[in-house]
Amino acid sequence: MVSKTDDIQASVPNCNVNTVDLAEGETPDHQETKAPNKDPCACGHSASTAVMNGGGAHYHSEEESKQDVGGDTDGGEDSNEQEVIVIQDTGFTVKIQAPGTEPFDLQVSPQEMVQEIHQVLMDREDTCHRTCFSLQLDGNVLDNFAELKSIEGLQEGSLLKVVEEPYTVREARIHVRHIRDLLKSLDPSDAYNGVDCNSLSFLSVFTDGDLGDSGKRKKKGSDLEQIDCTPPEHILPGSKERPLVPLQPQNKEWKVIMTPMQCLKVLTMSGWNPPPGNRKMHGDLMYLYMVTVEERHISITASTRGFYLNQSTTYTFNPKPANPSFLSHSLVELLSQISPAFKKNFTVLQKTRVQRHPFERIATPFQVYSWTAPQVDHTMDCVRAEDAYTSRLGYEEHIPGQTRDWNEELQTTRELARKNLPERLLRERAIFKVHSDFAAAATRGSMAVIDGNVMAINPGEETRMQMFIWNNIFFSLGFDVRDHYRELGGDAAAHAAPTNDLNGVRAYGAVDVEGLYTLGTVVVDYRGYRVTAQSIIPGILEREQEQSVIYGSIDFGKTVVSHGKYLELLERTSRPLKVQRHNVLNEKDESVELCSSVECKGIIGNDGRHYILDLLRTFPPDLNFLPVEGEELSPESVRQGFPRQHRHRLACLRQELIEAFVEHRYLLFMKMAALQLMQQKANKESKMATLTENSSPEAAVPALPSTENPDASAKSSETSTETLTDGKSDAVQIETTSTSDAPQPAATEATTTEAAPKAEQTTEMDSPSAAATTINASQETPTEDNVIPTVTTNGPSVPVATAIQNGECESPLEGKAEAEDSIPGLAQAKELAESLAAEDGSGIDPKSREVVLNACKAVGSISNTSFDIRFNPDIFSPGVRFPEDSVDDIQKQKQLLKDAAAFLVSCQIPSLVKDCLDHSALPMDGATLTEALHQRGINVRYLGNVLEFVDKTPAKAQLEHFYRIGISELITRCAKHIFKTYLQGVELSALSAAVSHFLNCFLSSFPDAVAHLPADELVSRRKNRKRRNRVPGGGDNTAWASLTPSELWKNIVSEAQSYYNFTLHCENADQVVEKYGLQKITLLREISIKAGIQILIKEYNFDSRHKLAFTEEDILNIFPVVKHVNPKASDAFHFFQSGQAKVQQGYLKEGCELINEALNLFNNVYGAMHVEICACLRLLARLNYIMGDHHEALSNQQKAVLMSERVLGVEHPNTIQEYMHLALYCFANGQLSTALKLLYRARYLMLMVCGEDHPEMALLDSNIGLVLHGVMEYDLSLRFLENALAINSKYHGPRSLKVALSHHLVARVYESKAEFRSALQHEKEGYTIYKNQVGEAHEKTKESSEYLKYLTQQAVALQRTMNEIYKNGSNASIMPLKFTAPSMASVLEQLNIINGIIFIPLSQKDLENLKAEVQRRQQLQESGKSMEELTVDGPLELEDKIPMDVNVD
């Protein structure tokens, strides 16, 4: 484990962790082919190295696209020259000489710091025990923070000497900490306990070590005989067993180190610390106490010269050196002399440590908690003990009590320069580093506050009203203090406000306006309480709030003030955030201008910075959940039973919805303008008549919300216009560049959800039309932080842009207009709008201006000359009054809000359901479902409506999986709401009993669950009641024990009704399981993750009617659930997007280079571990595989799996997906048994997360069946393939091409078993489907027909032989029959097909034709049937249409 202690302060943007690669001598994942001499351990973690690897050449060509993609709003053009210069540097080799070891070579890069070489040495097996040394070149000590290129005389082949330095107290502590880290490096307990950003990974259990090496050793088919293919019983199709224990298989290494491989029994600080004065003057720094494995108790002095034995014992102090004293510069050297067991075991331990994949030991940026854990022995650990009682929050403070000024760090990193790429990387790296440190500190502080370990700053007030400051962070509880939220819903509003505020902070942070500052904000839910942690504005605590607020309102709009500077700063955010400037009245009835909601307060800190806070109403209110007297919602909303009373009045629309709505309106705007222009053209004579008729905006409006799917039409029209204007991307930048961001299909960073900010749309699911639109989108949006919101299907995510895969247009308007007449009009409309925006409009004839004016009116634009929609966030805010003269404007705004609310119900919900039907969205669990909702701008409070919509859909059977996940999410969320208040009444000593009692009531079949109230604790509780009641909430602390299962389920049912307006029909857990087909284990997982419960990993018997499922011993921990901002790596993301675009156009090589470059930049900003890097690696692996480099594919995918396990969790749907990809690449590399193990693991995880009945299970089972077929396990293979066939038929319909392929796979296995009748039956089914779907002439139909002939011949031959035997007995002359074991190549070919990868060898000419064809189809938006035959895995996939040719060049 790399010592985390020496992490550098946030201002130094380098990620020293990844340097471990060196030890393996393997090159880092982001090394590019262009710079083979790039240092394997530099990893490009100083600001500019990463960019360097690309070599300068392709950077120039990328320059233009980079500008288009809009990475560079503020840098302007001049930044490019500098960017390219940086890139030219290359790495070199130096020799390192450490005491007592041979000199060795080390590859370094000029941008690296000396500090990074230190890190490498502290991680290398032979030098890892040194921490206190300097590096010297020709006798001169090198400065730790100097870049290598700035050191004179340092060149290829220079010798750097490692020189031991004298210790200080700080260095001695660092040394002890580092040695302890080395001793614990294989111990998983930190990962189970969720500390120090450790998390679990189990991949190595299934691959038996590193995949890379084993691939070379095994021969391709030779190990068939030894493979044991039988899966465990619980993995077989149809098994009802869902064991929990296999979730965390025991790692062999852990077993080893837990017992025999112990190096030391005890290592702790001695009670004789600190040294008395006279000993200080002898150089004593501190004393340590140890017990060796041989039971020898020793006392050690850390002195300036090193470590030695002294003569103290437990009770007598004698600091004189013992004889011999074994003085050594490092503890490891000292202990190796004293304890033979230490010497032996430490060597083994370090060997094992270095062999582990670096990704198994690098810290993650944010803490990931595990909801299950084994019983881990609690060991003695001095460092852990010390950390618990000091405020060690960043790793850099080894002096307790030194705290960081979080606000200063957060704001200064924002102020760093960002003109060119190296500067931006440095800035983003620093911002990311400070944010992850701040999130960790805030989480720790929040837990301390709730656990009662922090003194309140207003201790006299009642507990719910207390506020806290700890480590320069301000903490407040989510209760309605001083009736602040009384009119908005009291405590419910106070609970919702912090998350709304966080969304506001995220949105403003993403817009990133220079000079406007937000507070670091983290929201933590822990033990039933919500804590908001914020950085502190300098000087705010010394002043009264009334004096400090110079913009906004402190009493919800009764008194309002404004400020010129704030208006100017906020004006710059108003376009990207769609916030309208507006006037409100203050208490003196004067009009005050604002450019945000009234709650948003502006405060100038003592540091002179302009801060905004209380951003809870950044986005407009959601009228569906805000009944207002005298206001009538649109019919779409009313039909669905809106408006509904919500718990609080803070319900607002999501940013994603605003983006989608504006884009939808923009499309309408273009269509209307186009139609009018067409009419003008057609009716030159009767021009006037047509215009007047057309200009009544009302005529056009009613059609708005009902148009089927905004995205569908949006995407198709964008594509068509693109082709129309001959791809002149500038022509496509309608007036929006100068006047509006309207058509941004890309929402800003804020839209990506906290849980898993997928900044990736893998090529895996993009239709050809999507390819075009994502490219256009990137050219049309010159704002900096565009992130296309993506939809996570489990695994490959699809950008919303591509959500409508095949561009079917359902409404007559769209379909026809698209194909025939509106296209020329659209082009004209674009030019017109553009010229209007460009000039003051004087040169344009009034007719055209009228066209635009009418279109603007119709869509509710705030400008009359261009499209510009913005919202006034104060509409319907209680207490806010508007001036008389803005009545019209307010009316318009109200209408806009009603339209947006209707748009959510009538467009977004149906679009989500449609995406689930055509499998472009495939949620697998609660988290991925929530994400799918959020990406379409649907709040989770609409879950009941979504489920009702699904219930009424004719194709309900094909949405069963979605419905089931929805119900499970709804139930667990209701349970979480109840659990929250339940926990507030529990005191700390009864916590485990209370949690286990709640889980029993929730899941156990035992009808009268009784709580365990330990008798002795009851007694003490009575005595101490008065004293103990300090925890917020207080009250009767045993009330929780009276909860019964029937009461809990009654509450859940009523909560579902009141919160989600959904009627559940059930009175206990068993009925739920019965009625909705849920699994108790899934419910347990969901509630544990949502509520932060960690349970003991063992088999629970939920269904016993005589015994409780959980006891208090089963509850191991309660973790915090943390929400925070995820800062983005914008440049890296732009590279990633252009890489994807290239791949979609079929330029694999260029795409691959761009993705590699993106990977570099991601590593530069995020360090080695991050969700987005995971996406990058997965895509790279897929490209490697398609381009024929199976080995590289394996290595990249292995990293993706490890990272997914570590960053998202071992059973996250994305991890399951990554396991499946890895299995495919293992199979291609001839590692059959590993491939099977990985597929079995994926199936186990999927069974646990969502059960067997899920469309994705069909793909998994087809994979398993094919591999088993390959290893000649026919009967097993059939079980899986027939299950896949059943699931495919259910979810894709019996006539789908997927089903045809399933039939074919089953037929092949029957053929191998020589059961020709069954084989024929299945192949006939397949043939019929092909014939009906794609016609007789299609190659698939022909193939199937050939195969049928072959099977018939085989069947006939077999029959003849049998007859011969019957007739002539044993002496019959038997024709040898062809029983074919399938060749690995044919199995691999089928695997590729089902996983959506198809190779077609093509010549260059074919490729050209193909590209032309693809473009033509995009224009026609006709990617339905004709393309579909190739797809098998999900919607159209990249590789399906652009046949991948490896040998084109």
Side-chain angles (χ1 to χ4, degrees):
M1 179 190 286
V2 176
S3 153
K4 304 196 187 84
T5 50
D6 290 61
D7 241 7
I8 309 165
Q9 289 238 0
S11 53
V12 181
N14 59 2
C15 151
N16 35 31
V17 270
N18 205 2
T19 49
V20 269
D21 284 300
L22 175 86
E24 279 93 301
E26 73 160 70
T27 46
D29 40 290
H30 39 268
Q31 189 169 330
E32 273 215 72
T33 40
K34 293 203 178 169
N37 52 351
K38 165 82 177 83
D39 148 34
C41 54
C43 290
H45 287 311
S46 60
S48 35
T49 27
V51 208
M52 179 198 95
N53 315 354
H58 85 255
Y59 220 87
H60 280 292
S61 62
E62 255 327 287
E63 227 44 82
E64 303 78 44
S65 73
K66 213 170 147 323
Q67 289 296 325
D68 289 343
V69 176
D72 229 322
T73 38
D74 35 15
E77 284 70 67
D78 52 294
S79 59
N80 305 334
E81 284 73 39
Q82 297 137 294
E83 294 185 17
V84 183
I85 299 164
V86 182
I87 294 159
Q88 311 295 346
D89 297 333
T90 48
F92 57 94
T93 312
V94 292
K95 273 201 168 1
I96 305 258
Q97 165 81 65
T101 58
E102 292 294 305
F104 58 88
D105 287 343
L106 184 62
Q107 271 240 306
V108 293
S109 99
Q111 267 78 20
E112 223 173 298
M113 299 206 177
V114 177
Q115 171 79 27
E116 294 178 57
I117 301 181
H118 273 253
Q119 281 311 118
V120 176
L121 295 177
M122 282 165 61
D123 199 75
R124 264 183 79 95
E125 193 183 337
D126 47 1
T127 54
C128 64
H129 55 276
R130 303 184 180 283
T131 58
C132 185
F133 58 86
S134 62
L135 290 168
Q136 300 189 0
L137 175 65
D138 307 328
N140 300 324
V141 176
L142 305 185
D143 167 20
N144 251 346
F145 294 108
E147 288 193 347
L148 298 186
K149 62 180 177 206
S150 64
I151 297 167
E152 273 183 50
L154 184 64
Q155 60 204 35
E156 180 74 35
S158 297
L159 178 70
L160 292 179
K161 283 210 167 96
V162 174
V163 180
E164 296 176 341
E165 294 288 332
Y167 282 98
T168 58
V169 174
R170 178 171 182 274
E171 284 293 349
R173 293 169 81 106
I174 287 176
H175 186 76
V176 173
R177 195 174 272 276
H178 180 64
I179 299 304
R180 170 268 203 169
D181 280 347
L182 290 175
L183 292 175
K184 279 189 61 175
S185 56
L186 297 182
D187 175 4
S189 56
D190 277 358
Y192 287 123
N193 296 329
V195 290
D196 283 346
C197 289
N198 285 309
S199 57
L200 298 164
S201 161
F202 295 106
L203 177 63
S204 54
V205 179
F206 301 98
T207 55
D208 298 327
D210 199 27
L211 290 168
D213 319 331
S214 49
K216 291 166 196 155
R217 282 199 306 273
K218 292 181 182 169
K219 291 190 197 60
K220 263 225 168 142
S222 62
D223 52 5
L224 282 187
E225 291 69 57
Q226 312 89 320
I227 297 184
D228 175 24
C229 308
T230 11
E233 273 300 308
H234 60 260
I235 290 177
L236 288 171
S239 163
K240 287 282 168 273
E241 226 187 315
R242 297 281 180 269
L244 186 56
V245 174
L247 179 61
Q248 295 180 344
Q250 274 301 300
N251 198 324
K252 292 195 282 284
E253 289 169 6
W254 297 346
K255 283 194 191 126
V256 176
I257 49 161
M258 289 305 182
T259 40
M261 241 182 70
Q262 239 187 345
C263 300
L264 266 186
K265 287 211 165 148
V266 178
L267 154 65
T268 176
M269 296 291 170
S270 159
W272 299 115
N273 282 319
N278 63 333
R279 287 310 302 171
K280 262 193 195 157
M281 298 163 80
H282 282 87
D284 289 11
L285 302 171
M286 61 182 186
Y287 304 118
L288 303 169
Y289 169 73
M290 305 199 184
V291 181
T292 66
V293 179
E294 295 88 352
E295 277 299 331
R296 180 173 170 195
H297 295 240
I298 49 177
S299 194
I300 291 178
T301 301
S303 74
T304 49
R305 294 168 53 204
F307 297 82
Y308 61 84
L309 284 193
N310 63 34
Q311 298 178 30
S312 302
T313 64
T314 318
Y315 302 113
T316 54
F317 178 59
N318 182 355
K320 297 260 187 303
N323 192 11
S325 71
F326 299 115
L327 174 67
S328 315
H329 193 263
S330 114
L331 262 179
V332 173
E333 291 167 358
L334 170 71
L335 287 165
S336 299
Q337 295 175 62
I338 295 173
S339 159
F342 177 88
K343 186 174 183 179
K344 177 171 153 251
N345 291 347
F346 187 77
T347 320
V348 179
L349 183 71
Q350 291 324 305
K351 274 209 165 34
T352 325
R353 175 181 71 88
V354 179
Q355 280 160 7
R356 290 178 70 195
H357 197 285
F359 284 5
E360 292 182 70
R361 45 204 179 110
I362 293 170
T364 58
F366 300 103
Q367 185 64 59
V368 177
Y369 300 101
S370 163
W371 64 278
T372 50
Q375 198 74 59
V376 179
D377 297 332
H378 194 60
T379 49
M380 216 171 189
D381 182 343
C382 64
V383 178
R384 185 189 63 221
E386 178 195 21
D387 287 352
Y389 297 108
T390 58
S391 100
R392 186 185 70 85
L393 280 152
Y395 300 122
E396 72 295 1
E397 48 219 331
H398 306 294
I399 312 111
Q402 168 193 334
T403 55
R404 287 166 70 167
D405 183 343
W406 291 110
N407 191 66
E408 189 54 31
E409 284 193 42
L410 287 161
Q411 311 312 348
T412 36
T413 50
R414 284 235 171 248
E415 287 164 350
L416 292 171
R418 43 174 155 176
K419 289 196 180 57
N420 53 29
L421 185 66
E423 286 182 353
R424 279 197 302 275
L425 287 175
L426 209 129
R427 175 175 183 265
E428 287 176 346
R429 168 84 193 127
I431 289 176
F432 184 74
K433 181 84 181 72
V434 176
H435 262 94
S436 60
D437 287 356
F438 178 69
T443 307
R444 197 174 149 179
S446 306
M447 293 168 72
V449 163
I450 296 302
D451 288 338
N453 305 336
V454 181
M455 179 80 179
I457 51 178
N458 50 345
E461 310 214 19
E462 67 161 306
T463 37
R464 355 178 339 132
M465 300 178 68
Q466 290 180 348
M467 290 170 268
F468 306 82
I469 288 181
W470 179 85
N471 187 33
N472 282 329
I473 305 176
F474 173 78
F475 298 91
S476 52
L477 298 170
F479 293 116
D480 184 9
V481 181
R482 303 194 184 84
D483 287 342
H484 189 61
Y485 291 105
R486 192 175 57 210
E487 293 177 13
L488 298 166
D491 278 349
H495 189 265
T499 43
N500 278 5
D501 183 36
L502 181 67
N503 289 335
V505 170
R506 185 179 293 117
Y508 278 102
V511 177
D512 210 1
V513 167
E514 250 173 278
L516 189 64
Y517 297 90
T518 54
L519 303 183
T521 308
V522 174
V523 178
V524 179
D525 289 300
Y526 178 61
R527 285 182 46 197
Y529 297 97
R530 171 158 284 180
V531 185
T532 310
Q534 290 170 311
S535 61
I536 300 170
I537 299 178
I540 182 102
L541 297 169
E542 293 96 73
R543 301 180 281 188
E544 277 299 310
Q545 204 180 16
E546 286 78 20
Q547 303 158 6
S548 13
V549 173
I550 59 163
Y551 172 90
S553 163
I554 54 169
D555 47 19
F556 290 100
K558 296 185 187 65
T559 51
V560 191
V561 284
S562 188
H563 187 277
K565 180 66 178 163
Y566 272 104
L567 281 175
E568 177 200 326
L569 289 168
L570 288 166
E571 175 59 43
R572 284 153 64 191
T573 65
S574 84
R575 172 157 291 131
L577 296 180
K578 317 273 185 283
V579 176
Q580 188 188 10
R581 258 181 109 135
H582 58 281
N583 291 344
V584 298
L585 294 175
N586 65 8
E587 72 286 6
K588 301 179 192 137
D589 286 342
E590 297 158 351
S591 174
V592 179
E593 188 172 21
L594 296 177
C595 194
S596 65
S597 67
V598 287
E599 285 87 354
C600 168
K601 303 172 190 39
I603 296 181
I604 298 183
N606 286 359
D607 53 4
R609 294 188 177 109
H610 291 76
Y611 292 93
I612 49 170
L613 55 158
D614 287 350
L615 307 174
L616 51 142
R617 284 195 194 253
T618 303
F619 298 109
D622 179 353
L623 295 194
N624 288 334
F625 285 91
L626 192 71
V628 181
E629 276 184 36
E631 294 289 344
E632 186 69 23
L633 287 185
S634 57
E636 291 86 3
S637 297
V638 175
R639 258 203 304 279
Q640 305 247 2
F642 291 115
R644 283 216 308 269
Q645 193 68 52
H646 197 48
R647 295 272 153 92
H648 54 77
R649 301 177 65 84
L650 291 178
C652 58
L653 299 170
R654 294 186 64 86
Q655 188 173 10
E656 296 93 332
L657 185 88
I658 301 295
E659 299 287 342
F661 176 69
V662 169
E663 193 183 331
H664 173 68
R665 280 294 166 99
Y666 173 69
L667 203 84
L668 245 127
F669 167 78
M670 288 321 276
K671 283 213 172 113
M672 296 192 58
L675 285 168
Q676 292 182 55
L677 283 173
M678 289 309 293
Q679 282 173 331
Q680 280 188 2
K681 201 169 165 191
N683 319 344
K684 278 268 167 66
E685 328 69 72
S686 55
K687 212 185 310 180
M688 291 322 295
T690 350
L691 262 174
T692 44
E693 178 188 309
N694 224 43
S695 58
S696 68
E698 291 79 297
V701 181
L704 295 197
S706 59
T707 43
E708 47 69 77
N709 191 320
D711 289 17
S713 42
K715 295 302 157 257
S716 42
S717 89
E718 239 153 80
T719 338
S720 47
T721 46
E722 171 62 312
T723 41
L724 207 159
T725 50
D726 306 322
K728 295 195 286 269
S729 58
D730 37 351
V732 185
Q733 289 179 344
I734 320 162
E735 81 284 15
T736 51
T737 34
S738 47
T739 54
S740 138
D741 281 352
Q744 281 180 210
T748 41
E749 180 264 7
T751 60
T752 37
T753 47
E754 296 96 1
K758 298 287 163 325
E760 55 122 344
Q761 326 82 290
T762 36
T763 53
E764 290 158 55
M765 293 191 144
D766 292 356
S767 68
S769 62
T773 37
T774 37
I775 305 157
N776 300 359
S778 56
Q779 291 167 346
E780 275 184 40
T781 46
T783 40
E784 182 155 358
D785 312 71
N786 292 329
V787 174
I788 291 204
T790 54
V791 180
T792 341
T793 57
N794 39 15
S797 313
V798 196
V800 172
T802 69
I804 298 308
Q805 287 297 351
N806 304 336
E808 303 95 335
C809 294
E810 282 144 353
S811 83
L813 166 83
E814 255 106 74
K816 294 201 183 63
E818 231 27 90
E820 302 145 31
D821 53 357
S822 81
I823 291 188
L826 264 178
Q828 271 176 298
K830 291 204 169 189
E831 280 165 35
L832 168 63
E834 219 174 14
S835 46
L836 260 178
E839 317 162 22
D840 51 358
S842 49
I844 296 167
D845 71 291
K847 296 280 181 305
S848 312
R849 194 172 297 123
E850 195 173 341
V851 166
V852 175
L853 177 71
N854 291 337
C856 283
K857 271 190 193 154
V859 296
S861 165
I862 59 168
S863 144
N864 284 337
T865 54
S866 67
F867 176 86
D868 190 356
I869 285 190
R870 303 188 198 183
F871 293 87
N872 174 345
D874 284 331
I875 304 271
F876 299 125
S877 289
V880 177
R881 300 173 305 142
F882 298 102
E884 300 281 305
D885 55 8
S886 56
V887 176
D888 288 355
D889 201 34
I890 298 303
Q891 252 344 93
K892 258 193 192 167
Q893 281 293 329
K894 287 183 175 175
Q895 189 51 48
L896 206 55
L897 283 180
K898 291 174 190 173
D899 291 348
F903 171 75
L904 192 156
V905 178
S906 62
C907 283
Q908 295 305 81
I909 292 180
S911 118
L912 167 72
V913 174
K914 179 174 179 305
D915 288 348
C916 290
L917 263 177
D918 61 23
H919 303 284
S920 51
L922 267 180
M924 253 187 193
D925 68 345
T928 42
L929 172 71
T930 307
E931 206 171 315
L933 288 166
H934 284 171
Q935 271 148 357
R936 288 161 184 78
I938 305 167
N939 311 68
V940 177
R941 58 175 172 268
Y942 283 96
L943 187 55
N945 289 71
V946 174
L947 290 174
E948 268 170 29
F949 187 88
V950 170
D951 210 16
K952 295 185 187 125
T953 309
K956 189 193 168 189
Q958 294 184 25
L959 288 165
E960 226 172 84
H961 64 294
F962 180 79
Y963 191 71
R964 194 179 318 108
I965 294 166
I967 291 280
S968 144
E969 180 71 353
L970 190 133
I971 290 174
T972 43
R973 276 175 184 266
C974 292
K976 181 188 77 173
H977 296 169
I978 296 162
F979 185 60
K980 188 183 79 198
T981 39
Y982 170 86
L983 268 191
Q984 289 177 6
V986 178
E987 64 171 26
L988 199 50
S989 59
L991 211 51
S992 53
V995 174
S996 62
H997 178 57
F998 184 90
L999 289 177
N1000 280 327
C1001 294
F1002 183 45
L1003 293 171
S1004 178
S1005 304
F1006 190 53
D1008 28 86
V1010 185
H1012 300 282
L1013 284 175
D1016 55 335
E1017 290 190 34
L1018 268 173
V1019 178
S1020 62
R1021 188 181 295 124
R1022 287 279 178 282
K1023 278 193 208 135
N1024 297 349
R1025 171 67 58 74
K1026 291 283 170 293
R1027 231 185 36 230
R1028 282 229 194 127
N1029 197 359
R1030 300 291 305 142
V1031 185
D1036 170 15
N1037 290 332
T1038 54
W1040 59 267
S1042 58
L1043 183 74
T1044 64
S1046 59
E1047 184 193 345
L1048 173 62
W1049 278 96
K1050 271 200 195 78
N1051 291 345
I1052 287 178
V1053 170
S1054 71
E1055 178 74 6
Q1057 189 60 57
S1058 68
Y1059 195 91
Y1060 294 107
N1061 195 27
F1062 189 82
T1063 315
L1064 281 173
H1065 303 285
C1066 53
E1067 287 159 32
N1068 56 38
D1070 295 342
Q1071 286 183 15
V1072 168
V1073 170
E1074 187 61 35
K1075 180 166 170 42
Y1076 297 108
L1078 306 183
Q1079 311 182 121
K1080 285 188 177 178
I1081 190 100
T1082 306
L1083 290 170
L1084 176 63
R1085 172 180 178 265
E1086 294 283 355
I1087 187 77
S1088 302
I1089 291 172
K1090 285 183 180 55
I1093 304 169
Q1094 188 185 48
I1095 58 167
L1096 180 64
I1097 189 160
K1098 65 172 204 188
E1099 299 314 340
Y1100 291 97
N1101 182 1
F1102 298 110
D1103 301 328
S1104 160
R1105 305 197 63 75
H1106 313 292
K1107 190 164 162 288
L1108 289 171
F1110 300 90
T1111 67
E1112 54 185 298
E1113 299 307 311
D1114 297 329
I1115 310 300
L1116 298 182
N1117 212 337
I1118 287 198
F1119 288 129
V1121 176
V1122 186
K1123 300 181 176 69
H1124 54 78
V1125 175
N1126 276 304
K1128 285 278 167 281
S1130 53
D1131 287 290
F1133 190 67
H1134 293 317
F1135 268 101
F1136 186 65
Q1137 278 185 311
S1138 9
Q1140 283 184 308
K1142 281 267 183 270
V1143 169
Q1144 286 169 341
Q1145 294 164 321
Y1147 300 109
L1148 293 193
K1149 225 179 178 136
E1150 293 91 324
C1152 210
E1153 280 167 14
L1154 283 169
I1155 304 272
N1156 260 314
E1157 196 57 70
L1159 183 61
N1160 269 330
L1161 303 186
F1162 277 135
N1163 273 305
N1164 224 312
V1165 173
Y1166 297 141
M1169 283 268 158
H1170 196 273
V1171 218
E1172 290 173 21
I1173 299 180
C1174 191
C1176 220
L1177 285 166
R1178 174 207 298 157
L1179 184 53
L1180 261 185
R1182 195 154 171 119
L1183 287 172
N1184 294 139
Y1185 183 70
I1186 290 167
M1187 290 158 77
D1189 188 346
H1190 292 182
H1191 202 71
E1192 191 60 19
L1194 193 58
S1195 145
N1196 278 328
Q1197 187 58 33
Q1198 180 186 10
K1199 289 175 186 146
V1201 174
L1202 285 169
M1203 201 174 296
S1204 185
E1205 288 194 304
R1206 295 281 320 277
V1207 180
L1208 292 169
V1210 287
E1211 81 292 351
H1212 190 280
N1214 285 29
T1215 308
I1216 300 177
Q1217 204 78 16
E1218 304 296 5
Y1219 263 100
M1220 286 165 67
H1221 293 312
L1222 184 61
L1224 173 65
Y1225 307 151
C1226 274
F1227 187 90
N1229 274 299
Q1231 303 177 27
L1232 309 187
S1233 58
T1234 309
L1236 262 179
K1237 279 189 210 155
L1238 295 170
L1239 287 168
Y1240 288 158
R1241 170 72 172 169
R1243 191 171 208 276
Y1244 165 74
L1245 293 175
M1246 204 190 289
L1247 284 173
M1248 179 153 163
V1249 168
C1250 62
E1252 195 162 53
D1253 187 17
H1254 190 282
E1256 199 62 4
M1257 190 58 93
L1259 176 63
L1260 184 48
D1261 281 355
S1262 304
N1263 273 300
I1264 296 177
L1266 272 168
V1267 177
L1268 286 169
H1269 185 196
V1271 296
M1272 302 192 287
E1273 288 279 349
Y1274 302 134
D1275 293 336
L1276 262 180
S1277 168
L1278 275 175
R1279 286 184 71 171
F1280 286 100
L1281 288 174
E1282 285 177 331
N1283 191 50
L1285 174 62
I1287 295 177
N1288 273 334
S1289 309
K1290 173 173 177 180
Y1291 286 108
H1292 293 273
R1295 310 257 50 87
S1296 121
L1297 297 175
K1298 264 196 170 28
V1299 177
L1301 185 67
S1302 268
H1303 277 300
H1304 175 63
L1305 298 179
V1306 173
R1308 286 179 39 152
V1309 182
Y1310 276 124
E1311 179 213 340
S1312 299
K1313 287 182 69 178
E1315 295 182 18
F1316 294 112
R1317 182 165 295 157
S1318 309
L1320 275 164
Q1321 197 180 333
H1322 279 285
E1323 191 56 44
K1324 272 188 191 129
E1325 292 276 334
Y1327 174 72
T1328 320
I1329 295 176
Y1330 281 131
K1331 197 169 79 175
N1332 295 340
Q1333 296 290 339
V1334 295
E1336 300 224 7
H1338 194 276
E1339 59 176 316
K1340 279 280 176 209
T1341 323
K1342 288 180 184 157
E1343 269 173 35
S1344 180
S1345 142
E1346 289 298 309
Y1347 186 56
L1348 275 173
K1349 280 183 199 145
Y1350 167 76
L1351 284 177
T1352 317
Q1353 288 163 6
Q1354 291 297 88
V1356 170
L1358 179 68
Q1359 197 54 50
R1360 268 202 206 112
T1361 314
M1362 298 308 283
N1363 295 347
E1364 182 79 8
I1365 293 175
Y1366 290 137
K1367 203 160 67 189
N1368 303 342
S1370 55
N1371 55 359
S1373 58
I1374 299 171
M1375 285 275 296
L1377 269 174
K1378 283 192 292 193
F1379 286 118
T1380 46
S1383 70
M1384 284 305 138
S1386 73
V1387 172
L1388 185 60
E1389 185 191 348
Q1390 294 296 334
L1391 276 171
N1392 286 333
I1393 292 176
I1394 63 170
N1395 289 295
I1397 299 172
I1398 291 188
F1399 299 90
I1400 308 175
L1402 288 178
S1403 67
Q1404 191 60 47
K1405 187 160 171 251
D1406 291 341
L1407 262 183
E1408 299 304 319
N1409 297 346
L1410 195 101
K1411 285 188 185 134
E1413 172 68 3
V1414 168
Q1415 277 173 349
R1416 189 177 70 78
R1417 295 213 178 148
Q1418 282 171 6
Q1419 287 173 26
L1420 293 178
Q1421 284 295 297
E1422 228 320 339
S1423 48
K1425 278 234 176 90
S1426 49
M1427 298 303 266
E1428 202 184 283
E1429 71 274 11
L1430 292 176
T1431 68
V1432 184
D1433 172 12
L1436 287 175
E1437 304 205 351
L1438 136 87
E1439 290 81 61
D1440 302 340
K1441 286 99 32 203
I1442 308 230
M1444 299 318 171
D1445 177 28
V1446 192
N1447 29 3
V1448 171
D1449 334 313

